[in-house]
Amino acid sequence: MSVEVNTAATENSPPMASASASSSVVTLNVGGELFQTTAATLSRAGGSSPLASLGPSPPDAPHFLDGDPRLFAASLSFLRSGRLASHPPSPALLAEARHFSLDGLLLASLSPASAFSPLSLRPTALLLLTGRVAPSAVAIPLSPHAASLVAAHGGVVTSFNAALASRTSVLTPLPTIDSLVAVSPALALAGARDFPGVQLCRFPGDAPATASDALYWPDSPSSVLSMAASEPASHWLFASFESARRNSSAVVAFDLNSLSPVVEIGRKEVFGADVEAAIPPTKLGWLAGHSLLLAAGSHSGPAGMVGDIRLWDVRASSTVPLWGVREKDDCFADVAASDSLSALFKVGAASGEVFMADLRRLSGDGTSVDPWVCIGDGQRAGAATASRRKDGNGCRIECYRSWVFVARGAYAEVWTQVEITSEPGEKKVMRRNWVGNGPSMVTADGEEMDKIVSWAFGGGRMALARVDKRSVEVWDSASGTISGE
Protein backbone atom coordinates (compact mmCIF):
# COMPACT_ATOMS: atom_id res chain seq x y z
CA MET A 1 0.00 0.00 0.00
CA SER A 2 1.43 3.37 -1.03
CA VAL A 3 1.14 6.22 1.41
CA GLU A 4 0.95 9.85 0.30
CA VAL A 5 0.82 12.65 2.86
CA ASN A 6 -0.52 15.97 1.52
CA THR A 7 0.08 18.94 3.79
CA ALA A 8 -1.94 22.11 3.67
CA ALA A 9 0.94 24.26 2.43
CA THR A 10 -1.37 26.75 0.78
CA GLU A 11 -2.70 27.74 4.16
CA ASN A 12 0.65 29.23 5.22
CA SER A 13 1.44 26.67 7.90
CA PRO A 14 4.89 27.24 9.46
CA PRO A 15 7.54 24.55 8.93
CA MET A 16 7.47 23.69 12.64
CA ALA A 17 3.80 23.50 13.60
CA SER A 18 2.88 24.68 17.06
CA ALA A 19 0.76 22.65 19.42
CA SER A 20 -2.31 24.75 18.71
CA ALA A 21 -1.77 24.43 14.96
CA SER A 22 -1.27 20.66 15.10
CA SER A 23 -4.43 20.30 17.14
CA SER A 24 -6.44 21.62 14.16
CA VAL A 25 -4.96 19.17 11.64
CA VAL A 26 -7.34 16.59 10.20
CA THR A 27 -5.80 13.34 8.93
CA LEU A 28 -7.75 11.36 6.35
CA ASN A 29 -7.35 7.87 4.98
CA VAL A 30 -8.89 7.91 1.52
CA GLY A 31 -8.75 4.54 -0.22
CA GLY A 32 -5.52 3.65 1.58
CA GLU A 33 -3.70 6.95 1.11
CA LEU A 34 -3.18 9.56 3.84
CA PHE A 35 -4.06 13.24 3.50
CA GLN A 36 -3.63 16.06 6.00
CA THR A 37 -5.56 19.32 5.96
CA THR A 38 -7.47 21.57 8.38
CA ALA A 39 -11.05 21.65 9.55
CA ALA A 40 -11.35 25.16 8.04
CA THR A 41 -10.54 23.81 4.58
CA LEU A 42 -13.02 20.93 4.91
CA SER A 43 -15.76 23.29 6.11
CA ARG A 44 -15.76 24.90 2.65
CA ALA A 45 -17.41 21.75 1.34
CA GLY A 46 -20.71 22.97 2.78
CA GLY A 47 -22.96 21.84 5.60
CA SER A 48 -24.45 18.99 3.58
CA SER A 49 -21.07 17.30 3.10
CA PRO A 50 -19.71 14.78 5.62
CA LEU A 51 -16.30 16.41 5.13
CA ALA A 52 -17.44 19.55 6.94
CA SER A 53 -18.17 17.64 10.15
CA LEU A 54 -14.76 15.96 10.42
CA GLY A 55 -12.71 17.13 13.40
CA PRO A 56 -8.97 17.04 14.12
CA SER A 57 -7.40 13.59 14.19
CA PRO A 58 -3.83 12.30 14.66
CA PRO A 59 -1.92 10.50 11.90
CA ASP A 60 -2.19 7.19 13.74
CA ALA A 61 -5.99 7.42 13.93
CA PRO A 62 -7.15 8.99 10.64
CA HIS A 63 -10.73 9.34 9.49
CA PHE A 64 -11.46 6.73 6.81
CA LEU A 65 -13.23 7.77 3.61
CA ASP A 66 -14.21 5.37 0.86
CA GLY A 67 -13.09 7.19 -2.27
CA ASP A 68 -10.57 7.47 -5.07
CA PRO A 69 -7.36 9.05 -3.65
CA ARG A 70 -6.42 10.69 -6.96
CA LEU A 71 -9.81 12.34 -7.38
CA PHE A 72 -9.98 13.28 -3.70
CA ALA A 73 -6.60 15.04 -4.02
CA ALA A 74 -8.05 17.23 -6.79
CA SER A 75 -11.15 17.99 -4.72
CA LEU A 76 -9.07 18.85 -1.65
CA SER A 77 -6.82 21.13 -3.71
CA PHE A 78 -9.91 22.90 -5.00
CA LEU A 79 -11.23 23.40 -1.46
CA ARG A 80 -7.91 24.98 -0.48
CA SER A 81 -7.37 27.31 -3.42
CA GLY A 82 -10.72 27.59 -5.19
CA ARG A 83 -9.01 26.55 -8.43
CA LEU A 84 -8.70 23.35 -10.39
CA ALA A 85 -5.30 22.20 -11.61
CA SER A 86 -6.73 21.55 -15.07
CA HIS A 87 -9.85 22.23 -17.10
CA PRO A 88 -12.31 20.88 -17.91
CA PRO A 89 -13.14 18.82 -14.83
CA SER A 90 -13.58 15.18 -15.78
CA PRO A 91 -16.93 13.42 -15.35
CA ALA A 92 -15.22 11.24 -12.74
CA LEU A 93 -14.22 14.32 -10.71
CA LEU A 94 -17.77 15.68 -10.86
CA ALA A 95 -19.07 12.29 -9.69
CA GLU A 96 -16.54 12.25 -6.83
CA ALA A 97 -17.61 15.76 -5.75
CA ARG A 98 -21.22 14.62 -5.66
CA HIS A 99 -20.18 11.44 -3.81
CA PHE A 100 -18.93 13.61 -0.94
CA SER A 101 -22.05 15.85 -1.11
CA LEU A 102 -20.17 19.03 -1.81
CA ASP A 103 -22.73 21.80 -1.72
CA GLY A 104 -24.48 23.01 -4.84
CA LEU A 105 -22.39 26.16 -5.08
CA LEU A 106 -19.16 24.18 -5.20
CA LEU A 107 -20.57 21.74 -7.73
CA ALA A 108 -21.74 24.61 -9.92
CA SER A 109 -18.26 26.12 -9.90
CA LEU A 110 -16.89 22.79 -11.15
CA SER A 111 -19.56 22.26 -13.80
CA PRO A 112 -18.83 22.88 -17.47
CA ALA A 113 -20.82 25.30 -19.60
CA SER A 114 -22.64 22.34 -21.14
CA ALA A 115 -24.34 21.85 -17.76
CA PHE A 116 -25.81 25.36 -17.88
CA SER A 117 -29.60 25.27 -17.79
CA PRO A 118 -31.20 28.74 -18.05
CA LEU A 119 -34.64 27.60 -16.90
CA SER A 120 -33.11 25.98 -13.79
CA LEU A 121 -31.21 29.06 -12.63
CA ARG A 122 -31.81 29.82 -8.96
CA PRO A 123 -30.08 32.27 -6.61
CA THR A 124 -27.55 30.39 -4.50
CA ALA A 125 -25.27 33.03 -2.97
CA LEU A 126 -25.15 36.71 -2.08
CA LEU A 127 -21.58 38.01 -2.07
CA LEU A 128 -21.22 41.07 0.16
CA LEU A 129 -18.69 43.68 -0.91
CA THR A 130 -16.62 45.92 1.33
CA GLY A 131 -17.09 49.67 1.31
CA ARG A 132 -20.15 51.80 0.68
CA VAL A 133 -20.28 51.68 -3.12
CA ALA A 134 -22.57 49.34 -5.03
CA PRO A 135 -21.02 47.23 -7.81
CA SER A 136 -21.00 48.85 -11.24
CA ALA A 137 -19.82 45.80 -13.21
CA VAL A 138 -19.42 42.05 -12.81
CA ALA A 139 -17.46 39.59 -14.96
CA ILE A 140 -16.68 35.87 -15.20
CA PRO A 141 -13.46 34.59 -16.83
CA LEU A 142 -13.52 33.80 -20.53
CA SER A 143 -13.55 30.04 -20.20
CA PRO A 144 -16.10 27.24 -20.57
CA HIS A 145 -15.84 26.96 -16.79
CA ALA A 146 -16.71 29.56 -14.16
CA ALA A 147 -13.29 29.53 -12.53
CA SER A 148 -13.93 32.70 -10.54
CA LEU A 149 -15.98 35.87 -10.40
CA VAL A 150 -14.90 39.52 -10.46
CA ALA A 151 -16.83 42.61 -9.34
CA ALA A 152 -16.03 46.32 -9.62
CA HIS A 153 -17.31 48.69 -6.93
CA GLY A 154 -16.13 52.27 -7.08
CA GLY A 155 -12.44 52.09 -7.98
CA VAL A 156 -11.98 48.67 -6.36
CA VAL A 157 -11.90 45.32 -8.16
CA THR A 158 -12.67 42.24 -6.05
CA SER A 159 -11.97 38.70 -7.26
CA PHE A 160 -13.73 35.66 -5.76
CA ASN A 161 -12.35 32.17 -6.23
CA ALA A 162 -14.38 29.47 -7.96
CA ALA A 163 -15.92 28.19 -4.75
CA LEU A 164 -16.71 31.80 -3.75
CA ALA A 165 -15.07 30.95 -0.44
CA SER A 166 -12.34 33.59 -0.50
CA ARG A 167 -11.80 36.99 -2.06
CA THR A 168 -8.99 39.36 -2.98
CA SER A 169 -9.42 43.09 -3.61
CA VAL A 170 -7.22 45.67 -5.28
CA LEU A 171 -7.62 49.45 -5.44
CA THR A 172 -7.18 50.90 -8.93
CA PRO A 173 -6.44 54.53 -9.88
CA LEU A 174 -9.87 54.70 -11.53
CA PRO A 175 -12.54 56.75 -9.73
CA THR A 176 -15.46 54.59 -10.89
CA ILE A 177 -15.14 51.51 -13.10
CA ASP A 178 -17.60 51.34 -16.02
CA SER A 179 -16.25 48.39 -18.01
CA LEU A 180 -14.82 45.12 -16.68
CA VAL A 181 -13.45 41.99 -18.37
CA ALA A 182 -12.13 38.89 -16.61
CA VAL A 183 -9.51 37.34 -18.87
CA SER A 184 -8.52 34.60 -16.42
CA PRO A 185 -8.69 33.94 -12.66
CA ALA A 186 -5.41 35.84 -12.38
CA LEU A 187 -6.12 38.83 -14.67
CA ALA A 188 -8.99 41.31 -14.94
CA LEU A 189 -9.17 44.49 -17.03
CA ALA A 190 -10.99 47.63 -15.89
CA GLY A 191 -11.85 50.82 -17.72
CA ALA A 192 -13.59 54.09 -16.92
CA ARG A 193 -15.03 56.95 -18.91
CA ASP A 194 -13.14 60.22 -18.64
CA PHE A 195 -10.07 58.39 -17.37
CA PRO A 196 -7.25 57.21 -19.64
CA GLY A 197 -6.19 53.64 -20.22
CA VAL A 198 -7.25 50.07 -19.50
CA GLN A 199 -6.18 49.12 -15.99
CA LEU A 200 -4.64 45.67 -15.49
CA CYS A 201 -5.65 44.01 -12.22
CA ARG A 202 -3.56 40.97 -11.38
CA PHE A 203 -4.56 38.30 -8.85
CA PRO A 204 -1.63 35.86 -8.79
CA GLY A 205 -3.03 33.83 -5.90
CA ASP A 206 0.30 33.33 -4.16
CA ALA A 207 1.14 37.05 -3.93
CA PRO A 208 -0.66 40.35 -3.26
CA ALA A 209 -2.99 41.62 -5.98
CA THR A 210 -1.76 44.59 -8.02
CA ALA A 211 -3.20 47.25 -10.31
CA SER A 212 -0.07 49.06 -11.42
CA ASP A 213 -0.06 48.70 -15.22
CA ALA A 214 -2.32 50.13 -17.91
CA LEU A 215 -2.91 49.79 -21.66
CA TYR A 216 -3.25 52.94 -23.73
CA TRP A 217 -4.40 53.96 -27.15
CA PRO A 218 -1.03 54.61 -28.79
CA ASP A 219 -1.93 57.96 -30.38
CA SER A 220 -3.54 59.63 -27.38
CA PRO A 221 -4.33 58.50 -23.81
CA SER A 222 -8.11 58.22 -23.91
CA SER A 223 -11.04 57.04 -21.85
CA VAL A 224 -12.47 53.53 -22.20
CA LEU A 225 -16.12 53.17 -23.21
CA SER A 226 -16.38 49.40 -23.58
CA MET A 227 -14.29 46.25 -23.70
CA ALA A 228 -14.64 42.72 -25.01
CA ALA A 229 -12.27 39.78 -25.20
CA SER A 230 -12.18 36.54 -27.11
CA GLU A 231 -11.62 33.13 -25.64
CA PRO A 232 -8.00 32.75 -24.48
CA ALA A 233 -7.20 30.61 -27.52
CA SER A 234 -8.03 33.50 -29.89
CA HIS A 235 -5.73 36.00 -28.11
CA TRP A 236 -7.83 39.11 -28.77
CA LEU A 237 -8.79 41.99 -26.50
CA PHE A 238 -10.83 44.87 -27.88
CA ALA A 239 -11.27 48.24 -26.21
CA SER A 240 -13.36 51.18 -27.41
CA PHE A 241 -11.55 54.47 -26.77
CA GLU A 242 -12.74 58.07 -26.96
CA SER A 243 -10.49 61.12 -26.71
CA ALA A 244 -10.79 63.47 -23.76
CA ARG A 245 -12.28 66.17 -26.00
CA ARG A 246 -14.76 63.64 -27.46
CA ASN A 247 -13.74 64.57 -30.98
CA SER A 248 -12.33 61.18 -31.99
CA SER A 249 -12.85 57.52 -31.19
CA ALA A 250 -11.65 54.09 -32.26
CA VAL A 251 -11.56 50.45 -31.27
CA VAL A 252 -8.09 49.13 -30.52
CA ALA A 253 -7.26 45.44 -30.74
CA PHE A 254 -4.66 44.15 -28.27
CA ASP A 255 -2.82 40.85 -28.21
CA LEU A 256 -3.85 39.05 -25.02
CA ASN A 257 -0.47 37.35 -24.72
CA SER A 258 1.77 40.42 -24.98
CA LEU A 259 -0.95 42.96 -24.04
CA SER A 260 0.38 45.19 -26.80
CA PRO A 261 -1.76 47.08 -29.36
CA VAL A 262 -2.09 45.33 -32.72
CA VAL A 263 -4.45 47.40 -34.87
CA GLU A 264 -6.77 50.40 -34.64
CA ILE A 265 -10.25 49.70 -36.03
CA GLY A 266 -12.80 52.17 -37.42
CA ARG A 267 -11.27 55.44 -36.31
CA LYS A 268 -13.83 58.28 -36.36
CA GLU A 269 -13.37 62.01 -36.19
CA VAL A 270 -15.95 64.66 -35.25
CA PHE A 271 -15.97 67.74 -37.43
CA GLY A 272 -17.90 70.75 -36.17
CA ALA A 273 -21.15 69.94 -34.40
CA ASP A 274 -21.94 66.76 -36.34
CA VAL A 275 -21.79 64.43 -33.33
CA GLU A 276 -23.81 61.70 -35.02
CA ALA A 277 -21.13 61.31 -37.69
CA ALA A 278 -18.78 59.71 -35.18
CA ILE A 279 -20.82 57.86 -32.59
CA PRO A 280 -18.30 55.86 -30.52
CA PRO A 281 -18.96 52.15 -29.88
CA THR A 282 -20.23 51.54 -26.36
CA LYS A 283 -20.94 47.82 -26.86
CA LEU A 284 -18.38 45.34 -28.19
CA GLY A 285 -18.71 41.63 -28.78
CA TRP A 286 -16.60 38.93 -30.40
CA LEU A 287 -18.01 36.07 -32.52
CA ALA A 288 -15.21 33.50 -32.51
CA GLY A 289 -16.91 31.13 -34.95
CA HIS A 290 -17.28 33.89 -37.52
CA SER A 291 -14.12 35.86 -36.62
CA LEU A 292 -16.22 39.02 -36.46
CA LEU A 293 -16.18 41.97 -34.07
CA LEU A 294 -19.49 43.60 -33.14
CA ALA A 295 -19.21 47.34 -32.41
CA ALA A 296 -22.32 49.38 -31.62
CA GLY A 297 -23.06 52.78 -30.15
CA SER A 298 -25.98 55.21 -29.96
CA HIS A 299 -26.62 58.90 -29.38
CA SER A 300 -29.73 60.60 -28.00
CA GLY A 301 -30.49 64.07 -29.35
CA PRO A 302 -33.40 66.43 -30.00
CA ALA A 303 -34.57 64.35 -32.96
CA GLY A 304 -34.57 61.13 -30.92
CA MET A 305 -32.11 58.27 -30.65
CA VAL A 306 -29.83 57.20 -33.47
CA GLY A 307 -27.26 54.42 -33.43
CA ASP A 308 -24.69 52.54 -35.50
CA ILE A 309 -24.09 48.80 -35.60
CA ARG A 310 -20.99 47.51 -37.37
CA LEU A 311 -19.49 44.07 -37.98
CA TRP A 312 -15.75 44.05 -38.58
CA ASP A 313 -13.60 41.35 -40.11
CA VAL A 314 -10.40 42.53 -38.43
CA ARG A 315 -8.30 40.31 -40.68
CA ALA A 316 -9.60 41.97 -43.85
CA SER A 317 -9.87 45.69 -43.03
CA SER A 318 -9.52 48.07 -40.12
CA THR A 319 -11.20 50.96 -41.96
CA VAL A 320 -14.18 49.41 -43.79
CA PRO A 321 -16.71 47.27 -41.88
CA LEU A 322 -17.98 44.02 -43.35
CA TRP A 323 -21.52 45.20 -42.64
CA GLY A 324 -23.15 48.19 -40.99
CA VAL A 325 -26.52 49.80 -40.36
CA ARG A 326 -27.72 53.16 -39.04
CA GLU A 327 -30.61 52.73 -36.57
CA LYS A 328 -33.25 55.46 -36.31
CA ASP A 329 -36.92 54.41 -36.10
CA ASP A 330 -36.62 51.94 -33.21
CA CYS A 331 -32.97 52.33 -32.30
CA PHE A 332 -31.46 49.75 -30.00
CA ALA A 333 -31.39 50.14 -26.24
CA ASP A 334 -28.80 47.34 -26.29
CA VAL A 335 -27.44 44.87 -28.84
CA ALA A 336 -25.66 41.52 -28.61
CA ALA A 337 -24.32 38.80 -30.92
CA SER A 338 -24.70 35.03 -30.70
CA ASP A 339 -22.10 32.74 -32.23
CA SER A 340 -24.22 29.64 -31.61
CA LEU A 341 -27.32 31.11 -33.29
CA SER A 342 -25.40 33.03 -36.00
CA ALA A 343 -27.51 36.08 -35.27
CA LEU A 344 -27.60 39.60 -33.87
CA PHE A 345 -30.18 40.54 -31.26
CA LYS A 346 -31.36 43.93 -30.05
CA VAL A 347 -33.88 45.45 -27.67
CA GLY A 348 -35.76 48.32 -29.31
CA ALA A 349 -35.28 51.58 -27.42
CA ALA A 350 -38.83 52.70 -28.24
CA SER A 351 -40.69 49.38 -28.11
CA GLY A 352 -38.70 47.31 -25.64
CA GLU A 353 -39.31 44.33 -27.94
CA VAL A 354 -36.60 41.86 -28.99
CA PHE A 355 -35.44 41.72 -32.61
CA MET A 356 -33.18 39.28 -34.45
CA ALA A 357 -31.02 39.62 -37.58
CA ASP A 358 -29.64 36.47 -39.21
CA LEU A 359 -25.91 36.84 -39.87
CA ARG A 360 -26.20 34.64 -42.96
CA ARG A 361 -28.54 37.15 -44.59
CA LEU A 362 -26.60 40.32 -43.84
CA SER A 363 -24.93 41.99 -46.80
CA GLY A 364 -23.95 45.45 -47.98
CA ASP A 365 -24.27 48.55 -45.85
CA GLY A 366 -27.67 47.64 -44.36
CA THR A 367 -29.42 50.70 -45.78
CA SER A 368 -31.59 49.05 -48.41
CA VAL A 369 -33.16 46.20 -46.46
CA ASP A 370 -34.24 46.18 -42.82
CA PRO A 371 -32.36 43.18 -41.37
CA TRP A 372 -34.46 42.92 -38.20
CA VAL A 373 -37.28 40.49 -37.51
CA CYS A 374 -39.31 41.07 -34.34
CA ILE A 375 -39.44 37.86 -32.31
CA GLY A 376 -41.64 39.54 -29.70
CA ASP A 377 -44.93 41.38 -30.26
CA GLY A 378 -44.61 42.96 -33.72
CA GLN A 379 -47.82 44.98 -33.49
CA ARG A 380 -46.84 46.42 -30.14
CA ALA A 381 -43.41 47.27 -31.49
CA GLY A 382 -44.91 49.17 -34.40
CA ALA A 383 -47.31 51.12 -32.20
CA ALA A 384 -44.58 52.03 -29.71
CA THR A 385 -42.27 53.21 -32.48
CA ALA A 386 -44.98 55.31 -34.10
CA SER A 387 -45.79 57.02 -30.80
CA ARG A 388 -42.05 57.46 -30.04
CA ARG A 389 -42.30 55.81 -26.66
CA LYS A 390 -39.24 54.77 -24.60
CA ASP A 391 -40.34 51.37 -23.33
CA GLY A 392 -36.88 49.88 -23.85
CA ASN A 393 -35.05 52.48 -21.80
CA GLY A 394 -32.51 50.78 -19.55
CA CYS A 395 -33.05 47.26 -20.94
CA ARG A 396 -30.00 45.03 -21.39
CA ILE A 397 -29.44 42.07 -23.67
CA GLU A 398 -26.72 39.41 -23.60
CA CYS A 399 -26.13 36.13 -25.45
CA TYR A 400 -24.67 33.08 -23.76
CA ARG A 401 -24.23 29.89 -25.79
CA SER A 402 -27.59 29.32 -27.54
CA TRP A 403 -29.68 31.53 -25.24
CA VAL A 404 -30.56 35.22 -25.29
CA PHE A 405 -31.06 36.99 -21.97
CA VAL A 406 -32.89 40.30 -21.55
CA ALA A 407 -32.88 42.33 -18.34
CA ARG A 408 -35.97 44.47 -17.86
CA GLY A 409 -35.63 46.51 -14.72
CA ALA A 410 -35.47 44.08 -11.81
CA TYR A 411 -36.11 40.80 -13.61
CA ALA A 412 -34.69 38.82 -16.52
CA GLU A 413 -36.17 36.83 -19.37
CA VAL A 414 -34.49 34.23 -21.57
CA TRP A 415 -35.23 33.47 -25.21
CA THR A 416 -34.67 29.88 -26.32
CA GLN A 417 -34.61 28.43 -29.78
CA VAL A 418 -37.44 25.96 -30.34
CA GLU A 419 -37.08 25.29 -34.05
CA ILE A 420 -34.80 25.91 -37.00
CA THR A 421 -36.29 25.51 -40.47
CA SER A 422 -33.81 24.89 -43.23
CA GLU A 423 -35.91 26.00 -46.18
CA PRO A 424 -34.95 29.27 -47.94
CA GLY A 425 -36.63 32.35 -46.53
CA GLU A 426 -37.67 30.65 -43.31
CA LYS A 427 -36.64 32.07 -39.93
CA LYS A 428 -35.56 30.75 -36.59
CA VAL A 429 -38.31 30.41 -34.02
CA MET A 430 -37.60 31.75 -30.54
CA ARG A 431 -39.69 31.47 -27.37
CA ARG A 432 -39.60 33.68 -24.28
CA ASN A 433 -39.32 32.27 -20.77
CA TRP A 434 -38.57 33.78 -17.39
CA VAL A 435 -35.46 33.37 -15.29
CA GLY A 436 -36.39 32.30 -11.77
CA ASN A 437 -39.93 33.12 -10.71
CA GLY A 438 -40.68 35.53 -13.53
CA PRO A 439 -41.41 39.27 -13.55
CA SER A 440 -42.23 39.67 -9.89
CA MET A 441 -41.00 42.95 -8.43
CA VAL A 442 -41.22 41.62 -4.88
CA THR A 443 -38.96 39.09 -3.17
CA ALA A 444 -40.11 36.31 -0.85
CA ASP A 445 -39.65 38.52 2.20
CA GLY A 446 -41.79 41.28 0.71
CA GLU A 447 -39.01 43.65 -0.34
CA GLU A 448 -39.11 45.29 -3.76
CA MET A 449 -36.41 44.08 -6.14
CA ASP A 450 -33.92 46.55 -7.58
CA LYS A 451 -32.93 47.17 -11.17
CA ILE A 452 -30.21 45.00 -12.72
CA VAL A 453 -27.23 47.18 -13.67
CA SER A 454 -24.70 44.53 -14.74
CA TRP A 455 -24.55 40.80 -15.31
CA ALA A 456 -22.22 38.09 -16.56
CA PHE A 457 -22.42 34.42 -17.57
CA GLY A 458 -19.89 31.60 -17.39
CA GLY A 459 -19.75 27.87 -16.76
CA GLY A 460 -23.03 26.90 -15.10
CA ARG A 461 -23.66 30.26 -13.45
CA MET A 462 -25.00 33.78 -13.83
CA ALA A 463 -23.87 36.72 -11.70
CA LEU A 464 -25.67 40.03 -11.48
CA ALA A 465 -25.48 43.36 -9.68
CA ARG A 466 -28.44 45.52 -8.73
CA VAL A 467 -28.61 49.26 -8.29
CA ASP A 468 -27.71 50.50 -4.79
CA LYS A 469 -27.05 46.95 -3.52
CA ARG A 470 -23.53 46.44 -2.13
CA SER A 471 -23.49 42.78 -3.10
CA VAL A 472 -23.40 40.43 -6.08
CA GLU A 473 -26.08 37.80 -6.66
CA VAL A 474 -24.90 34.41 -7.89
CA TRP A 475 -27.40 32.20 -9.72
CA ASP A 476 -26.54 28.59 -10.48
CA SER A 477 -28.20 25.91 -12.54
CA ALA A 478 -29.86 23.19 -10.47
CA SER A 479 -27.29 20.71 -9.18
CA GLY A 480 -29.35 17.94 -10.72
CA THR A 481 -28.16 19.05 -14.15
CA ILE A 482 -24.57 18.17 -13.25
CA SER A 483 -23.97 14.61 -14.24
CA GLY A 484 -21.02 12.39 -13.68
CA GLU A 485 -21.83 10.20 -16.65
Side-chain angles (χ1 to χ4, degrees):
M1 179 184 70
S2 61
V3 177
E4 177 182 346
V5 178
N6 290 6
T7 60
T10 59
E11 298 182 61
N12 302 319
S13 298
M16 188 71 71
S18 65
S20 59
S22 61
S23 65
S24 65
V25 172
V26 181
T27 304
L28 306 171
N29 179 345
V30 182
E33 295 191 13
L34 295 182
F35 295 82
Q36 286 188 321
T37 184
T38 66
T41 295
L42 296 178
S43 68
R44 296 171 185 166
S48 61
S49 172
L51 299 178
S53 62
L54 297 178
S57 57
D60 57 351
H63 298 287
F64 177 77
L65 297 175
D66 185 14
D68 185 318
R70 178 179 56 86
L71 295 174
F72 183 80
S75 299
L76 184 59
S77 176
F78 180 81
L79 289 176
R80 287 169 175 159
S81 66
R83 299 180 184 178
L84 284 176
S86 62
H87 286 295
S90 66
L93 179 57
L94 293 176
E96 187 77 358
R98 189 166 55 184
H99 171 69
F100 287 110
S101 301
L102 302 185
D103 66 11
L105 190 61
L106 186 59
L107 282 173
S109 66
L110 286 169
S111 66
S114 58
F116 183 81
S117 177
L119 301 184
S120 299
L121 284 171
R122 295 293 184 271
T124 54
L126 189 66
L127 308 178
L128 300 179
L129 300 173
T130 58
R132 299 182 178 181
V133 182
S136 56
V138 293
I140 293 176
L142 301 168
S143 166
H145 310 275
S148 62
L149 186 152
V150 182
H153 43 117
V156 177
V157 177
T158 297
S159 175
F160 296 86
N161 67 6
L164 307 182
S166 63
R167 71 184 73 189
T168 304
S169 296
V170 61
L171 178 63
T172 73
L174 306 177
T176 300
I177 295 169
D178 301 305
S179 185
L180 184 67
V181 168
V183 177
S184 70
L187 178 63
L189 308 174
R193 299 191 179 195
D194 300 320
F195 204 86
V198 177
Q199 195 70 41
L200 276 65
C201 303
R202 301 183 185 276
F203 303 92
D206 55 352
T210 61
S212 56
D213 302 322
L215 307 179
Y216 293 100
W217 181 5
D219 291 343
S220 171
S222 305
S223 59
V224 179
L225 302 178
S226 179
M227 289 188 293
S230 66
E231 293 79 1
S234 300
H235 308 302
W236 286 108
L237 165 70
F238 301 96
S240 174
F241 288 93
E242 185 179 46
S243 64
R245 297 177 58 189
R246 290 183 168 82
N247 59 354
S248 63
S249 64
V251 176
V252 179
F254 294 87
D255 183 277
L256 267 179
N257 289 327
S258 63
L259 294 176
S260 60
V262 177
V263 64
E264 184 181 81
I265 304 167
R267 184 178 180 119
K268 297 181 179 180
E269 303 286 345
V270 176
F271 299 99
D274 189 10
V275 178
E276 293 181 0
I279 299 173
T282 54
K283 180 67 176 286
L284 300 176
W286 175 249
L287 293 98
H290 299 75
S291 296
L292 293 176
L293 171 68
L294 165 69
S298 61
H299 171 74
S300 182
M305 183 175 288
V306 61
D308 291 328
I309 301 176
R310 302 283 185 263
L311 289 176
W312 296 87
D313 184 343
V314 297
R315 303 165 301 175
S317 173
S318 61
T319 58
V320 180
L322 181 69
W323 175 85
V325 65
R326 170 59 63 94
E327 299 275 289
K328 288 185 177 179
D329 293 335
D330 191 5
C331 184
F332 57 89
D334 196 11
V335 62
S338 172
D339 226 358
S340 300
L341 299 175
S342 296
L344 301 180
F345 294 87
K346 76 168 185 177
V347 179
S351 65
E353 294 295 331
V354 180
F355 296 80
M356 178 176 65
D358 195 326
L359 288 176
R360 297 168 297 182
R361 294 184 173 89
L362 299 182
S363 62
D365 59 6
T367 59
S368 58
V369 179
D370 184 1
W372 299 108
V373 175
C374 182
I375 60 175
D377 189 331
Q379 291 184 344
R380 182 181 178 280
T385 302
S387 61
R388 302 183 67 176
R389 297 206 300 264
K390 298 181 180 179
D391 294 348
N393 187 31
C395 289
R396 297 174 178 270
I397 189 167
E398 199 61 61
C399 297
Y400 181 55
R401 293 173 59 83
S402 58
W403 301 286
V404 182
F405 292 83
V406 179
R408 300 183 184 277
Y411 62 92
E413 64 189 37
V414 56
W415 291 81
T416 58
Q417 179 181 287
V418 296
E419 180 183 359
I420 296 182
T421 53
S422 58
E423 300 191 9
E426 294 295 329
K427 63 180 182 180
K428 299 174 183 178
V429 179
M430 305 288 291
R431 175 177 297 165
R432 182 174 66 178
N433 303 277
W434 303 111
V435 176
N437 296 324
S440 172
M441 296 296 291
V442 179
T443 62
D445 56 6
E447 294 185 359
E448 185 173 332
M449 295 173 63
D450 295 289
K451 177 183 176 181
I452 298 171
V453 296
S454 180
W455 56 0
F457 300 85
R461 107 184 350 156
M462 172 181 75
L464 58 87
R466 298 185 185 273
V467 66
D468 297 332
K469 293 293 185 181
R470 296 192 295 273
S471 59
V472 176
E473 291 180 25
V474 178
W475 293 54
D476 285 308
S477 298
S479 58
T481 64
I482 301 173
S483 173
E485 300 178 358

